[in-house]
Structure formats: structure tokens, C-alpha cells
Amino acid sequence: MKIKMLYSKIHRATVTDANLNYIGSITIDEDLMDKAALLEGQKVDIVNINNGERFSTYVIKGKRGNRDICLNGAAARKVHKGDKIIIIAYASMDIEEAKEYKPKVIIVDDDNNPIKNTNNLREE
């Protein structure tokens, strides 16, 4: 049996842009993608801390070092520039693997600079 488990997340990222006229997805700075072990095209859930919206989309690479977090297409209607979001990725694991797996949790500052990498799922 496989279960879905948290694989990684970028916590409290700041939305830098919302582009309604793009075909869809979330653009994430490639450095942040690497730290969170996210792949281009990977499905992610987005939780908007400001308004409670929850939705799914897929990742596209942003320019390395720009710290961009941009929601594109229809998802742009669910955020505003400056909103705080959580970007969440899940993976299917067997139960024994899930018991041992430690997800990557990347906490960023207001400018989307990583300030902490942790495997702790609770506030410290």
C-alpha cells in the first residue's frame, strides 16, 4: 500500500507577481526549486495565507537568483502581489518508507531568501 506524504514545502513565500495572461503554473526561482527538490512540471498545492485559497498547479523554472514566485494563468486570480503562500509537494510512499522520510521544509524571508532548511514540520 502507498500513501501520500509531504515531500517538501516552501513556507511563507511572498508572491512577486501574478500574470493572468500566461498559460498557467507557478514560476519559482530555480535556487528555491533546488533547495526544495522540486522539478519543473511537478504538481504542487498552493495555500494562500492571506485569503485561505487552496489550489493545485505545476512548477516552471524561474530565473536563478531572482527570488521570483509568480502565479500564472487562472491561478493569478487567487493571489495578489505581496501575498504569503505555502508551496507544498507530496510523494507516494509505502508505509515503511513514509515512517522514515523527512521532508524538506524551506522557510524564506519576506524577499524569498531561504533563512532555514529543516525537516521539522512544527514551529520551533
Side-chain angles (χ1 to χ4, degrees), residues 57-111:
T57 189
Y58 61 92
V59 175
I60 61 172
K61 269 184 221 175
K63 187 173 179 185
R64 189 176 293 280
N66 272 10
R67 299 299 183 246
D68 288 335
I69 301 289
C70 178
L71 277 299
N72 302 299
R77 294 201 183 271
K78 297 186 174 283
V79 300
H80 293 288
K81 187 175 177 179
D83 281 359
K84 295 290 187 184
I85 62 171
I86 304 169
I87 303 163
I88 306 167
Y90 302 94
S92 293
M93 300 178 193
D94 65 48
I95 291 175
E96 291 307 310
E97 180 183 18
K99 287 178 184 177
E100 300 298 320
Y101 184 75
K102 301 293 185 213
K104 293 170 181 20
V105 178
I106 311 305
I107 300 171
V108 296
D109 66 14
D110 289 340
D111 296 316

